[in-house]
């Protein structure tokens, strides 16, 4: 089964609207020379305040694809109501999003998001017709204690609970070892591929082998233009979720270009 790679930029809490627009324009001017078929699925996740300043760029070849897809970095599972500071799936969709990142380790760590909340968000996103990018990953302590696989398997089982096989197949998972995020310490590609294969086995257990073959599983954690080719050459790594290196058009575009060398 060939899975279309995803290159997703997580801008986190960075860039004012003018900077976000300039970055978006820089990516747009790179992707204009390619069709959506040639490109990986390109996703950018600006802050909520910049969502309206950037937009999805439709492909011009008539394939119905988008050259740039927009993601929110979080959402609430309820559709509206007294949830100060939150946004709903419909609001993200209204602002042009087709993907929503959920369960990022920074949200789990700093905002106490639980597996149960992440499952509720995943279900709300799917019900709203958007695609969840579900993050998982272990701490350095968990890795050193030898419980990486069991921790990640339990995060994935919880996140996918009561979601149909078809919807699981269309979802995206990002494996992001916490010790590799923003540290410059990329996880060895062979090891990242091993964990991602293990995640695929868990998906197969909970949603069947077709969903496991179809679901796109990304690696995240200090991905750079110089690391992406080796990462994309692995059997089970279907793309990357990129923080720091997605904040300039130069490095993000180079990651897209290097991905196209090996994997689209
Ligand atoms: P990083 O962040 O690329 O800066 O390590 C990745 C992420 O947190 O998604």
């Amino acid at each position: 089964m060939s899975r279309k790679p995803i290159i997703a930029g997580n801008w986190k809490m960075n860039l004012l609207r003018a900077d976000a627009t300039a970055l978006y324009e820089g990516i747009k001017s790179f992707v204009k020379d390619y069709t959506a078929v040639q490109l990986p699925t390109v996703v950018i996740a600006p802050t909520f305040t910049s969502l309206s300043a950037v937009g999805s760029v439709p492909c011009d070849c008539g394939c119905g694809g988008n050259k740039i897809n927009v993601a929110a970095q979080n959402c609430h599972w309820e559709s509206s109501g007294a949830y100060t500071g939150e946004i709903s799936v419909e609001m993200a969709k209204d602002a042009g999003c087709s993907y929503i990142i959920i369960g990022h380790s920074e949200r789990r760590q700093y905002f106490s998001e639980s597996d149960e909340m992440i499952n509720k968000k995943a279900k709300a996103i799917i019900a709203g017709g958007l695609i969840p990018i579900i993050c998982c990953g272990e701490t350095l302590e968990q890795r050193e204690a030898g419980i990486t696989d069991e921790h990640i398997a339990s995060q994935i089982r919880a996140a996918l609970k009561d979601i149909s096989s078809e919807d699981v197949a269309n979802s995206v998972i990002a494996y992001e070892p916490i010790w590799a995020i923003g540290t410059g310490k990329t996880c060895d590609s062979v090891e990242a591929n091993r964990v991602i294969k293990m995640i695929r086995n868990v998906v197969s257990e909970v949603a069947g082998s077709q969903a496991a073959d179809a679901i796109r599983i990304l690696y995240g954690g200090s991905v750079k233009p110089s690391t992406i080719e080796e990462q994309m050459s692995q059997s089970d790594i279907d793309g990357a979720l990129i923080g720091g290196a997605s904040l300039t058009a130069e490095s993000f575009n180079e990651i897209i270009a290097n991905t196209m060398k090996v994997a689209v």
Side-chain angles (χ1 to χ4, degrees):
M1 143 92 56
S2 81
R3 295 177 292 265
K4 190 169 176 72
I6 300 182
I7 295 299
N10 175 9
W11 296 359
K12 305 192 181 181
M13 197 173 73
N14 293 296
L15 310 174
L16 298 180
R17 281 192 305 165
D19 306 314
T21 307
L23 175 51
Y24 167 67
E25 291 297 334
I27 300 167
K28 208 166 122 181
S29 69
F30 172 79
V31 300
K32 78 172 182 344
D33 294 334
Y34 303 91
T35 66
V37 174
Q38 291 172 310
L39 290 163
T41 302
V42 175
V43 180
I44 54 172
T47 59
F48 293 148
T49 52
S50 288
L51 282 176
S52 60
V54 306
S56 156
V57 177
C59 188
D60 36 28
C61 77
C63 70
N66 278 334
K67 288 184 181 181
I68 299 181
N69 303 275
V70 181
Q73 297 176 16
N74 181 33
C75 68
H76 198 277
W77 57 86
E78 293 292 347
S79 54
S80 63
Y83 300 100
T84 302
E86 293 292 313
I87 75 158
S88 70
V89 173
E90 199 182 356
M91 288 165 186
K93 190 173 176 182
D94 189 45
C97 296
S98 46
Y99 291 79
I100 304 184
I101 299 171
I102 50 171
H104 191 281
S105 58
E106 288 151 16
R107 295 221 49 96
R108 293 180 190 255
Q109 186 183 346
Y110 306 134
F111 303 98
S112 306
E113 290 199 3
S114 65
D115 283 334
E116 195 193 352
M117 289 158 81
I118 291 153
N119 176 243
K120 283 189 197 168
K121 291 179 189 207
K123 288 195 260 195
I125 293 166
I126 291 165
L130 274 64
I131 300 174
I133 301 178
I134 304 164
C135 302
C136 62
E138 81 286 1
T139 62
L140 187 58
E141 293 69 36
Q142 287 166 328
R143 176 158 283 268
E144 284 172 349
I147 56 168
T148 297
D149 291 13
E150 102 193 39
H151 173 69
I152 291 186
S154 106
Q155 286 185 320
I156 295 303
R157 282 198 191 96
L160 300 180
K161 192 163 179 274
D162 301 327
I163 297 178
S164 74
S165 299
E166 210 177 40
D167 289 331
V168 169
N170 196 38
S171 299
V172 177
I173 292 174
Y175 167 55
E176 300 203 301
I178 296 170
W179 49 271
I181 296 178
T183 58
K185 271 194 246 161
T186 315
C187 178
D188 175 71
S189 302
V190 172
E191 170 59 10
N193 194 52
R194 185 196 69 75
V195 177
I196 287 176
K197 268 190 176 167
M198 185 278 299
I199 295 172
R200 218 177 279 290
N201 286 337
V202 174
V203 173
S204 181
E205 266 169 43
V206 300
S209 61
Q210 275 187 342
D213 275 350
I215 192 170
R216 290 179 289 177
I217 310 182
L218 319 181
Y219 166 76
S222 298
V223 172
K224 301 182 255 311
S226 59
T227 65
I228 191 72
E229 278 181 68
E230 192 187 306
Q231 287 151 344
M232 293 309 302
S233 306
Q234 304 297 319
S235 62
D236 282 69
I237 301 182
D238 301 323
L241 181 57
I242 304 136
S246 74
L247 291 175
T248 68
E250 194 191 6
S251 61
F252 191 64
N253 292 343
E254 205 181 333
I255 290 173
I256 299 171
N258 290 348
T259 299
M260 287 193 283
K261 284 188 198 159
V262 282
V264 181

